[in-house]
Amino acid sequence: MSFNTFGRLFRFTTWGESHGPALGATVDGVPPGVPLDEAYIQRFLNRRRPGTSKHTTQRREPDQVRILSGVFEGVTTGTSIQLMIENTDQRSKDYGDIATSFRPGHADITYHLKYGVRDYRGGGRSSARETAARVAAGAVAQAVLGALVPQLRITGYMVQMGEMRLDRARLDLSAVDSNPFFLPDAEAVEAWSDYLDGIRKDQNSVGAALEVCVQGCPPGLGAPVYAKLDTDLAAAMMSINAVKAVEIGEGMASAALTGVANADEIRMGEAGPEYLSNHAGGILGGISTGQDIVVRFAIKPTSSITTPRRSINARGEEIEVITKGRHDPCVGIRAVPVAEAMAACVILDHLLMDRAQTGGVRGKIGNGQFG
Amino acid sequence: MSFNTFGRLFRFTTWGESHGPALGATVDGVPPGVPLDEAYIQRFLNRRRPGTSKHTTQRREPDQVRILSGVFEGVTTGTSIQLMIENTDQRSKDYGDIATSFRPGHADITYHLKYGVRDYRGGGRSSARETAARVAAGAVAQAVLGALVPQLRITGYMVQMGEMRLDRARLDLSAVDSNPFFLPDAEAVEAWSDYLDGIRKDQNSVGAALEVCVQGCPPGLGAPVYAKLDTDLAAAMMSINAVKAVEIGEGMASAALTGVANADEIRMGEAGPEYLSNHAGGILGGISTGQDIVVRFAIKPTSSITTPRRSINARGEEIEVITKGRHDPCVGIRAVPVAEAMAACVILDHLLMDRAQTGGVRGKIGNGQFG
Amino acid sequence: MSFNTFGRLFRFTTWGESHGPALGATVDGVPPGVPLDEAYIQRFLNRRRPGTSKHTTQRREPDQVRILSGVFEGVTTGTSIQLMIENTDQRSKDYGDIATSFRPGHADITYHLKYGVRDYRGGGRSSARETAARVAAGAVAQAVLGALVPQLRITGYMVQMGEMRLDRARLDLSAVDSNPFFLPDAEAVEAWSDYLDGIRKDQNSVGAALEVCVQGCPPGLGAPVYAKLDTDLAAAMMSINAVKAVEIGEGMASAALTGVANADEIRMGEAGPEYLSNHAGGILGGISTGQDIVVRFAIKPTSSITTPRRSINARGEEIEVITKGRHDPCVGIRAVPVAEAMAACVILDHLLMDRAQTGGVRGKIGNGQFG
Amino acid sequence: MSFNTFGRLFRFTTWGESHGPALGATVDGVPPGVPLDEAYIQRFLNRRRPGTSKHTTQRREPDQVRILSGVFEGVTTGTSIQLMIENTDQRSKDYGDIATSFRPGHADITYHLKYGVRDYRGGGRSSARETAARVAAGAVAQAVLGALVPQLRITGYMVQMGEMRLDRARLDLSAVDSNPFFLPDAEAVEAWSDYLDGIRKDQNSVGAALEVCVQGCPPGLGAPVYAKLDTDLAAAMMSINAVKAVEIGEGMASAALTGVANADEIRMGEAGPEYLSNHAGGILGGISTGQDIVVRFAIKPTSSITTPRRSINARGEEIEVITKGRHDPCVGIRAVPVAEAMAACVILDHLLMDRAQTGGVRGKIGNGQFG
């Protein structure tokens, strides 16, 4: 079975290979009457686009999106929305020598084993290029969230790249969009830049850790026990190429905490319950508390490197593999808008699910309904 | 929306509250003709049962499972299997004072906000007791896997409990079943035991990290891009109560690695491709490689503790909460059989999905088909 | 694959065999806060129960339902509801001789071919006894509909039984519950009764046609194009044992109509659009219009008859089959409450789906919003 | 909620409006290694294409399909296949006057009520033009079925058009492709043609009944109880625009039959069980028997007619509606290839489901395994 669909009520299906004629997303479950046009979606795609700095692949992909259905006279109609991005810079010849060889750490060998056939050009379906379709779908989710929950903000940023780590004391979300690393610390940008230059000159690549913070999320979203909000966020992030771990709130560090330390104590504020800490990352029992939702994940280093690695080919011969082409020394960077898109889709999906079951009505605390 | 079903082709739906008359799992998609009886399932439940050592809750829950449908004359019939566990030790009065108060770090408040009503007795639906139903469903998956992939082994174990960490150099899977911590290091058991005694005497609780290793998994399982094997494993583990992070292979440490270090180089062995390392944790591009699959996750400390914590109640009053009752000082311990069960369900689900799409036929390397 | 789940957002999974220890339904997606108890559900089950007249099987099945989860202090909690009915009258010996023989027109042979094994006692999973679980699930749907759409009424009734046909000019829904045929024409009851007596004395059985009318359904329900309201109603009815056809509105007779005759002309009333006819059966483009929804379906005659029929057995031998036991001469009769239950589940499912996507807001006609 | 996806394991999602830039289908779950190209799919589309005779709309839609993903070097890769058909003949001005008026019998009013907004050009999403995408998806299913079950044949044909009815004694499937009515009786074509000419000259339209016969289907396909083969076929046909009824085998006529007459008696042939009749239409208990599968359905007359009908508009004014434009006098004709496509998708879906659960192994009769 092949599963190219993500989501339950707000759903998108992605299609397309790295070097085929086009790729895209079919988005379904969109509420009607939401303003949407290509320019709006394009802004999100431009954040992910390669070639915008020396730190990302120099392939030129304008990633121009077209809306082929589901939008009429500037608003969504409630029918399925087709978003298409044509592939324009397909230098297939660069990749000819990997038609039958398997890059270590890459999906080449597993696609070959599973399917017996694969589009080897540029990684085909396993290429990170598929994430452009996610960003387009996420932009639709953002448009709907903008209409339904105007106060909601989703911000992704890098917190680690190899040896470089964000100094949490200096975290400043307003800095994220002003540097090529989506780094929430403007002063650290130069050091990160120098570090990545070194990696690239070494014919190497490097991993990264990213974080997504959702501010303004209403409480009550999440469907226990198998569609918990954190479960769906974990699946969303883990489905992104090269992701190897996902953390909510304290994450792996929870293993070292005691119950006394971990308890997020609660007081009663005017606008509802107030929490004295957020170890939980905004989710308890799989349901949002109303605090910031904090998701973190790690991306392994690009497996396509120009340093030779030992491998085999489809003929069963032992070989050395060098991957030429124009690859990102740190794929994690461009994953930031992808993670934001996935988070937007999950939040919207749960908003619709909650609306179906509870009508969005919240339980009372005192005489008040909060969220 | 409420989603109490896990899985795609092999599916189970759990039902039941901690202090209701019974709980259970409805298991669907089971292949016919597989030998199965209550005694087989009971063995798995007994591993999870509380009260088996001083380190787990002293509630007496025999957790006796009954098969109500789907099995005839000792074999599965291919129809839905109902597994029921009656609740026998329901001291509801222990929990009377939490009917309207919210324990910090617990799902009390989010269930209240979402649903406006909740079964507050023993945590109701948010209780870890729900995981008994998962273990029963996982036993069915294990029976089917035993018939279809006899060489497959799934082993869960603890790798961290608060300050105590497994010495990887001493990892010995054969030790796991001979101690109450599912610890793969027999010599460390005493130190862990003393440590947890201290936590309990302090009226505290502590977090844990667990690992599941799947040996003998065939290559080719996993459905890119939104039902990747690692995506589904991450969702499975994150859906377990109190889990805050999931890692595959190198996990969060991938962020610090370079591409040269991370590449799992490949050689050609007689039984198929051989990998010189396993940073990937047995999964590439969302598809199993045939190596050991390694999943790790963290569980936060029990939020039900007898140390007072500040909170509020449903009337909006600020209170101090002390949770009496008989709670596990480290819920992570009993999560080991739960994690094994979830892994078994995911692997079987993907085996059936792969059988549907490819018929289980693998791509050739040289003249051979491997897996 | 086995699919024992019906529904999208309001979902139920049935389990259990005719002569196993119990059968039931796991109901998921129920809104919280809806009053529900066993007595309410029992009323629906009692309408379907056998042995209530000489025209149905004389098996004594009290069909006593127990709620095992999802309801607390008299209201639904939003978690999964388990409904269990224990089997009490299991005279397995009646069925001993059909362990290896295949009744013509029955699922015996296809279950055998597909699964290689089957619970042959009383038809096992293919028995119409499974429909008791549907009626229980449907009662939950009725309770929720009662809370959300109080004016909605779902009424099933027979329109044909063999040679006997309802005289449409005499249709009177108030008569349905006062006779054993659910016949909306009190005067015709005696003739139907005599006719069925004759069928039974002839060691024969007979088919039937039923109709379900949904009054008070709001407009706007239905999800084009693959979850149209009529599509889901057709699937619901066709999934009932022995159903061979489903019609909406004019049904098969549409093939003979012209466009001029078929057009349901529209006028503007105070309470919204008014239709001058209802050839459409209340559904246009898969979406409810607000008119009565009219669904009709045919049920074939019981295949378990005492007249000998030629067949084979599992050893491949040619045999004559006579089915002893206590079978309904017209299974269609007891299908009436089943059809009502299925209709209730479909309507509720679509109400929740619509609430998710549109928030239940309707497009305006003039200055008014209708429905 | 919007559901534009059909199928369980073999799935397709359609998108696109009648007068938008393009429409298409995203096909998922396709087995790898199956030969497929645009020319193959085009042959199926050409059978449905309008303008091929005087009896269908004179719109010129070349309906040229492009494969944008999922096929590489002439074979399927197991990834999602995007099929796009560009709309070329969009005379939007023809439809300008229906922007705010509602055609009686058409989805105009229900789309308006549900969504508040609709693409009114040519019916937008509710247009029968959507079925072109189904035919393209069905062609993919046919390609896979050709590889997996070479003996399987799916043939659709008309059995009624208004007052004209097929003489069953003259049924000849070889005649279907040689006349514009897909009529399995060459001699009757002229009479049908004259009849339809009269309808069109009367500014009227007419309904139709179609039948699909699946020959060579293996036994054992179908997933009781909520994904029965007949349930899924009924849903498939009912989802086609304007369909108002679906019958399997005897269909509505079952209501008049006795059990003795309805029993399909069985004998033992060399190639497996042989049935002496086929009242069941090839399906028992929701599972295929191996006999011909016979599905019949009715399509109402086109609601777009040039005879004036009373209606209202979005301003709530009472009006008379005349639908200009180029409409089929009998939309049923072009539904034949659509029904074949839907049947192909359902059969393939069930073949994959069965492969997942049973591995395609059949229960034995005597010493033989049949199908």
Side-chain angles (χ1 to χ4, degrees):
Chain A
M1 283 311 308
S2 168
F3 280 93
N4 293 288
T5 299
F6 183 83
R8 300 166 191 273
L9 301 200
F10 178 83
R11 289 184 298 278
F12 65 85
T13 304
T14 67
W15 54 272
E17 279 79 36
S18 173
H19 284 56
L23 53 83
T26 317
V27 186
D28 202 0
V30 183
V34 176
L36 185 71
D37 60 20
E38 291 167 355
Y40 179 84
I41 301 173
Q42 195 63 45
R43 291 214 311 271
F44 291 86
L45 281 166
N46 290 349
R47 294 186 72 216
R48 179 201 161 279
R49 196 172 54 191
T52 50
S53 88
K54 66 178 173 180
H55 298 300
T56 56
T57 171
Q58 295 306 300
R59 283 194 303 273
R60 287 183 307 279
E61 296 162 349
D63 278 359
Q64 201 72 36
V65 69
R66 284 186 66 200
I67 299 175
L68 297 182
S69 68
V71 176
F72 183 60
E73 298 184 342
V75 297
T76 60
T77 60
T79 64
S80 45
I81 298 177
Q82 182 60 253
L83 305 170
M84 182 173 72
I85 299 164
E86 290 183 77
N87 287 321
T88 53
D89 185 26
Q90 310 165 23
R91 301 195 197 170
S92 294
K93 283 163 198 163
D94 281 357
Y95 296 93
D97 51 343
I98 62 158
T100 58
S101 65
F102 306 130
R103 284 164 285 181
H106 198 278
D108 293 335
I109 191 167
T110 51
Y111 268 68
H112 175 84
L113 285 169
K114 184 179 188 76
Y115 298 116
V117 58
R118 66 192 165 101
D119 181 346
Y120 49 76
R121 300 168 303 165
R125 181 71 181 149
S126 72
S127 166
R129 188 141 177 67
E130 184 269 345
T131 61
R134 301 180 187 225
V135 171
V140 177
Q142 295 268 18
V144 179
L145 286 170
L148 297 182
V149 199
Q151 82 280 10
L152 192 136
R153 287 287 173 278
I154 299 173
T155 313
Y157 41 91
M158 288 187 85
V159 297
Q160 186 183 353
M161 180 177 63
E163 297 166 20
M164 310 304 289
R165 287 169 194 269
L166 172 70
D167 179 355
R168 287 269 165 188
R170 300 183 44 78
L171 188 150
D172 169 16
L173 293 189
S174 71
V176 166
D177 274 341
S178 59
N179 68 78
F181 297 103
F182 301 101
L183 188 61
D185 175 2
E187 289 190 25
V189 171
E190 192 175 334
W192 285 48
S193 183
D194 293 345
Y195 174 76
L196 193 57
D197 278 344
I199 291 286
R200 193 177 59 242
K201 285 170 187 159
D202 281 353
Q203 319 228 36
N204 212 337
S205 63
V206 73
L210 281 66
E211 195 166 280
V212 176
C213 179
V214 183
Q215 299 169 301
C217 180
L221 305 193
V225 297
Y226 297 107
K228 288 173 172 168
L229 187 56
D230 35 5
T231 297
D232 281 3
L233 285 168
M237 299 309 159
M238 195 63 96
S239 76
I240 300 172
N241 307 44
V243 171
K244 301 302 286 184
V246 184
E247 301 188 311
I248 306 290
E250 287 288 340
M252 289 307 293
S254 304
L257 289 179
T258 66
V260 170
N262 186 63
D264 296 319
E265 296 185 300
I266 319 175
R267 302 281 79 187
M268 198 62 206
E270 302 226 336
E274 284 177 4
Y275 298 83
L276 307 187
S277 55
N278 189 12
H279 297 290
I283 302 172
L284 287 174
I287 302 170
S288 63
T289 62
Q291 294 176 276
D292 287 357
I293 295 172
V294 182
V295 186
R296 206 160 37 252
F297 61 96
I299 286 199
K300 68 178 186 182
T302 320
S303 51
S304 300
I305 50 178
T306 46
T307 300
R309 297 280 85 192
R310 289 183 292 174
S311 187
I312 61 173
N313 63 22
R315 289 181 297 277
E317 299 158 348
E318 302 198 333
I319 56 172
E320 288 219 323
V321 172
I322 296 173
T323 310
K324 292 174 190 162
R326 297 153 295 164
H327 294 284
D328 286 313
C330 177
V331 278
I333 299 172
R334 291 206 288 137
V336 168
V338 180
E340 292 171 341
M342 295 304 287
C345 292
V346 169
I347 299 290
L348 175 57
D349 200 16
H350 277 277
L351 196 79
L352 300 184
M353 281 192 259
D354 183 68
R355 188 151 90 158
Q357 191 181 18
T358 72
V361 180
R362 294 281 77 92
K364 282 191 177 181
I365 292 182
N367 292 319
Q369 232 173 35
F370 304 102
Chain B
M1 282 312 308
S2 168
F3 280 93
N4 293 287
T5 298
F6 183 84
R8 299 165 192 273
L9 301 200
F10 178 82
R11 290 184 297 276
F12 65 86
T13 304
T14 68
W15 54 273
E17 279 79 36
S18 174
H19 285 54
L23 54 81
T26 315
V27 186
D28 204 359
V30 183
V34 176
L36 186 70
D37 59 22
E38 290 168 355
Y40 179 85
I41 300 173
Q42 196 62 48
R43 291 214 313 271
F44 290 87
L45 281 166
N46 289 350
R47 295 186 72 215
R48 180 200 162 279
R49 195 171 55 192
T52 51
S53 88
K54 64 178 175 181
H55 298 302
T56 57
T57 172
Q58 295 305 301
R59 285 193 302 273
R60 286 183 307 280
E61 295 162 349
D63 279 359
Q64 201 71 36
V65 71
R66 284 186 67 200
I67 299 175
L68 296 183
S69 68
V71 175
F72 183 60
E73 298 184 341
V75 298
T76 59
T77 60
T79 63
S80 45
I81 297 176
Q82 182 59 252
L83 305 170
M84 182 173 73
I85 299 164
E86 289 183 75
N87 287 322
T88 54
D89 185 26
Q90 310 166 24
R91 301 196 196 169
S92 295
K93 284 162 198 165
D94 281 357
Y95 297 93
D97 53 340
I98 61 161
T100 58
S101 65
F102 305 130
R103 285 164 285 181
H106 198 277
D108 294 334
I109 191 167
T110 50
Y111 268 68
H112 175 84
L113 285 169
K114 184 180 187 75
Y115 299 116
V117 57
R118 68 192 164 101
D119 182 347
Y120 49 76
R121 300 168 304 165
R125 183 69 184 151
S126 73
S127 166
R129 190 142 176 65
E130 185 267 346
T131 60
R134 302 181 187 224
V135 172
V140 177
Q142 293 269 19
V144 179
L145 287 170
L148 297 181
V149 199
Q151 81 280 9
L152 191 137
R153 288 287 172 277
I154 299 173
T155 312
Y157 42 90
M158 289 188 83
V159 298
Q160 185 183 353
M161 179 176 65
E163 297 166 19
M164 310 303 290
R165 288 170 193 268
L166 172 70
D167 178 355
R168 288 269 165 188
R170 300 183 44 78
L171 187 150
D172 170 17
L173 292 190
S174 71
V176 166
D177 275 340
S178 59
N179 69 78
F181 295 104
F182 301 100
L183 188 61
D185 175 0
E187 288 190 26
V189 171
E190 194 176 331
W192 285 48
S193 183
D194 292 346
Y195 174 76
L196 192 57
D197 279 343
I199 292 285
R200 194 177 58 242
K201 285 171 189 160
D202 282 354
Q203 318 230 37
N204 211 338
S205 63
V206 73
L210 280 67
E211 195 165 283
V212 175
C213 179
V214 183
Q215 299 169 300
C217 180
L221 304 192
V225 297
Y226 297 108
K228 287 173 173 167
L229 188 55
D230 35 5
T231 297
D232 282 3
L233 285 167
M237 299 309 158
M238 196 62 97
S239 76
I240 299 173
N241 307 44
V243 170
K244 301 303 287 183
V246 183
E247 302 189 310
I248 306 289
E250 287 287 341
M252 290 305 295
S254 304
L257 288 179
T258 65
V260 169
N262 184 63
D264 296 318
E265 295 184 301
I266 318 175
R267 301 282 80 186
M268 197 63 205
E270 300 227 335
E274 284 175 4
Y275 298 83
L276 306 186
S277 55
N278 189 12
H279 298 289
I283 302 172
L284 287 174
I287 302 170
S288 63
T289 62
Q291 294 176 276
D292 287 357
I293 295 172
V294 182
V295 186
R296 206 161 35 254
F297 61 96
I299 286 198
K300 69 178 185 183
T302 320
S303 51
S304 299
I305 50 177
T306 46
T307 299
R309 299 280 83 192
R310 288 184 293 175
S311 187
I312 62 173
N313 63 21
R315 289 180 295 277
E317 299 158 348
E318 302 199 334
I319 56 172
E320 288 219 324
V321 172
I322 296 174
T323 310
K324 292 173 190 162
R326 297 153 296 165
H327 293 285
D328 286 314
C330 177
V331 279
I333 299 172
R334 292 206 288 137
V336 168
V338 180
E340 292 171 342
M342 295 304 288
C345 291
V346 170
I347 299 290
L348 175 57
D349 201 17
H350 277 278
L351 196 78
L352 299 183
M353 281 192 258
D354 183 67
R355 188 151 91 159
Q357 191 180 18
T358 71
V361 179
R362 295 280 78 91
K364 282 190 178 183
I365 293 183
N367 292 319
Q369 235 173 34
F370 305 102
Chain C
M1 282 307 308
S2 168
F3 280 94
N4 293 288
T5 299
F6 183 84
R8 301 166 190 273
L9 302 200
F10 177 82
R11 286 184 299 277
F12 65 86
T13 305
T14 67
W15 54 272
E17 278 79 35
S18 173
H19 284 56
L23 54 82
T26 316
V27 186
D28 203 0
V30 183
V34 176
L36 187 70
D37 59 22
E38 291 168 355
Y40 179 85
I41 300 173
Q42 195 63 47
R43 290 214 313 271
F44 291 87
L45 281 166
N46 290 350
R47 294 186 73 216
R48 180 202 162 277
R49 195 170 55 190
T52 51
S53 87
K54 64 179 174 179
H55 298 301
T56 57
T57 170
Q58 295 306 302
R59 284 194 302 272
R60 288 183 306 280
E61 296 163 348
D63 279 1
Q64 201 71 37
V65 70
R66 286 187 63 200
I67 298 176
L68 297 183
S69 68
V71 176
F72 184 60
E73 298 182 342
V75 297
T76 60
T77 61
T79 63
S80 45
I81 297 177
Q82 181 60 251
L83 305 171
M84 181 172 72
I85 299 164
E86 290 183 76
N87 287 322
T88 52
D89 184 27
Q90 310 166 23
R91 301 195 196 168
S92 294
K93 283 161 197 164
D94 281 358
Y95 297 93
D97 52 341
I98 61 159
T100 58
S101 65
F102 305 130
R103 282 166 286 180
H106 198 277
D108 294 334
I109 191 167
T110 51
Y111 268 69
H112 175 84
L113 285 169
K114 184 178 186 79
Y115 298 116
V117 57
R118 67 191 164 101
D119 182 346
Y120 49 77
R121 300 168 303 166
R125 182 69 181 153
S126 72
S127 166
R129 191 146 172 65
E130 186 268 345
T131 60
R134 302 180 186 221
V135 171
V140 178
Q142 294 269 19
V144 179
L145 286 171
L148 297 180
V149 198
Q151 80 281 9
L152 192 134
R153 288 288 172 276
I154 299 174
T155 312
Y157 43 91
M158 288 186 84
V159 296
Q160 185 183 354
M161 180 177 63
E163 297 166 19
M164 310 302 290
R165 287 168 195 269
L166 173 70
D167 177 355
R168 289 268 164 189
R170 301 183 44 79
L171 188 150
D172 170 16
L173 292 190
S174 71
V176 166
D177 276 340
S178 59
N179 68 77
F181 296 103
F182 301 101
L183 187 61
D185 176 1
E187 289 189 26
V189 171
E190 193 176 330
W192 285 49
S193 183
D194 292 345
Y195 174 75
L196 194 57
D197 278 343
I199 292 285
R200 194 177 58 244
K201 285 171 189 160
D202 282 354
Q203 318 229 37
N204 212 338
S205 62
V206 73
L210 281 65
E211 195 165 281
V212 176
C213 178
V214 183
Q215 298 169 300
C217 179
L221 304 193
V225 294
Y226 297 109
K228 287 173 173 168
L229 188 55
D230 36 5
T231 298
D232 282 4
L233 285 168
M237 299 309 157
M238 196 62 99
S239 76
I240 300 173
N241 306 45
V243 172
K244 301 302 288 181
V246 184
E247 302 190 307
I248 307 289
E250 287 288 339
M252 290 305 295
S254 305
L257 289 179
T258 66
V260 169
N262 185 63
D264 295 318
E265 294 184 300
I266 319 176
R267 302 282 77 185
M268 197 63 205
E270 300 228 336
E274 284 175 6
Y275 298 83
L276 307 187
S277 55
N278 190 12
H279 298 289
I283 303 172
L284 287 174
I287 302 171
S288 63
T289 62
Q291 295 175 275
D292 287 357
I293 295 173
V294 181
V295 185
R296 206 161 35 253
F297 61 97
I299 287 200
K300 68 178 184 183
T302 321
S303 51
S304 300
I305 50 178
T306 45
T307 299
R309 297 279 86 192
R310 289 183 290 173
S311 187
I312 61 173
N313 63 22
R315 288 181 296 279
E317 298 157 349
E318 302 199 334
I319 57 173
E320 288 219 325
V321 172
I322 296 174
T323 310
K324 293 172 190 166
R326 296 154 294 165
H327 295 284
D328 285 313
C330 177
V331 280
I333 299 173
R334 293 207 286 137
V336 168
V338 180
E340 291 171 342
M342 296 303 289
C345 292
V346 169
I347 298 290
L348 176 57
D349 200 17
H350 276 278
L351 195 79
L352 301 183
M353 281 192 256
D354 183 68
R355 190 152 90 159
Q357 191 181 17
T358 71
V361 179
R362 295 282 77 92
K364 283 191 179 181
I365 293 183
N367 292 320
Q369 237 174 31
F370 304 103
Chain D
M1 282 304 307
S2 168
F3 282 93
N4 294 287
T5 299
F6 183 84
R8 300 166 191 273
L9 301 199
F10 178 83
R11 288 184 298 278
F12 64 86
T13 304
T14 68
W15 54 272
E17 278 79 36
S18 173
H19 285 55
L23 54 83
T26 316
V27 186
D28 203 359
V30 184
V34 176
L36 186 71
D37 59 21
E38 290 167 354
Y40 179 85
I41 301 173
Q42 196 62 48
R43 290 213 312 271
F44 291 85
L45 281 166
N46 289 350
R47 294 185 74 215
R48 180 201 161 278
R49 195 171 55 192
T52 50
S53 87
K54 65 178 173 180
H55 298 301
T56 57
T57 170
Q58 295 304 302
R59 286 194 301 273
R60 287 183 308 278
E61 296 163 348
D63 279 359
Q64 200 73 36
V65 70
R66 285 187 64 199
I67 299 175
L68 296 182
S69 67
V71 175
F72 183 59
E73 298 183 341
V75 296
T76 60
T77 60
T79 63
S80 45
I81 297 177
Q82 181 60 249
L83 305 171
M84 182 172 72
I85 299 164
E86 290 183 77
N87 288 322
T88 53
D89 184 27
Q90 311 164 24
R91 299 196 198 169
S92 294
K93 283 161 198 164
D94 281 358
Y95 297 93
D97 52 343
I98 62 160
T100 58
S101 64
F102 306 130
R103 283 166 286 181
H106 197 279
D108 293 334
I109 192 167
T110 51
Y111 268 69
H112 175 84
L113 285 169
K114 183 179 188 77
Y115 298 117
V117 57
R118 68 192 164 100
D119 181 346
Y120 49 76
R121 301 168 302 165
R125 182 68 181 152
S126 73
S127 166
R129 190 145 174 66
E130 185 268 346
T131 60
R134 302 180 186 223
V135 171
V140 177
Q142 294 269 19
V144 178
L145 286 170
L148 297 181
V149 198
Q151 81 279 10
L152 193 134
R153 286 289 171 278
I154 299 174
T155 313
Y157 42 92
M158 288 187 86
V159 296
Q160 184 183 353
M161 179 176 65
E163 297 165 20
M164 309 304 289
R165 288 170 194 267
L166 173 68
D167 178 354
R168 288 269 165 189
R170 301 183 44 80
L171 188 150
D172 170 16
L173 293 189
S174 71
V176 166
D177 275 341
S178 58
N179 68 77
F181 296 103
F182 300 100
L183 186 62
D185 176 2
E187 289 189 26
V189 171
E190 193 176 332
W192 285 49
S193 183
D194 292 345
Y195 174 76
L196 193 56
D197 278 344
I199 292 286
R200 194 177 58 243
K201 285 170 188 160
D202 281 354
Q203 318 229 36
N204 212 337
S205 63
V206 74
L210 281 65
E211 195 165 281
V212 176
C213 179
V214 183
Q215 298 169 299
C217 180
L221 304 193
V225 295
Y226 297 108
K228 288 173 172 168
L229 188 55
D230 35 5
T231 297
D232 282 4
L233 285 168
M237 299 309 157
M238 197 62 97
S239 76
I240 299 173
N241 308 44
V243 171
K244 301 302 286 183
V246 184
E247 303 189 309
I248 307 288
E250 287 288 339
M252 290 306 293
S254 304
L257 287 179
T258 65
V260 169
N262 185 62
D264 295 318
E265 295 185 299
I266 318 175
R267 302 282 77 186
M268 197 64 206
E270 301 226 335
E274 284 176 4
Y275 298 82
L276 306 188
S277 55
N278 189 12
H279 297 290
I283 302 173
L284 287 174
I287 303 171
S288 63
T289 61
Q291 295 175 274
D292 287 357
I293 295 172
V294 181
V295 186
R296 207 162 34 254
F297 61 96
I299 287 199
K300 68 179 185 183
T302 320
S303 51
S304 300
I305 50 178
T306 46
T307 300
R309 297 281 85 192
R310 287 185 292 173
S311 187
I312 63 173
N313 63 22
R315 289 182 297 277
E317 299 157 348
E318 303 199 335
I319 56 172
E320 288 219 326
V321 172
I322 296 174
T323 310
K324 292 173 189 162
R326 298 153 294 164
H327 295 283
D328 286 313
C330 177
V331 279
I333 299 173
R334 291 205 288 135
V336 169
V338 180
E340 291 171 342
M342 295 305 287
C345 292
V346 170
I347 299 289
L348 175 58
D349 200 16
H350 277 277
L351 196 80
L352 300 183
M353 282 192 255
D354 183 69
R355 189 150 91 159
Q357 190 181 18
T358 70
V361 178
R362 293 282 78 91
K364 281 190 179 181
I365 293 182
N367 293 318
Q369 234 173 37
F370 304 103

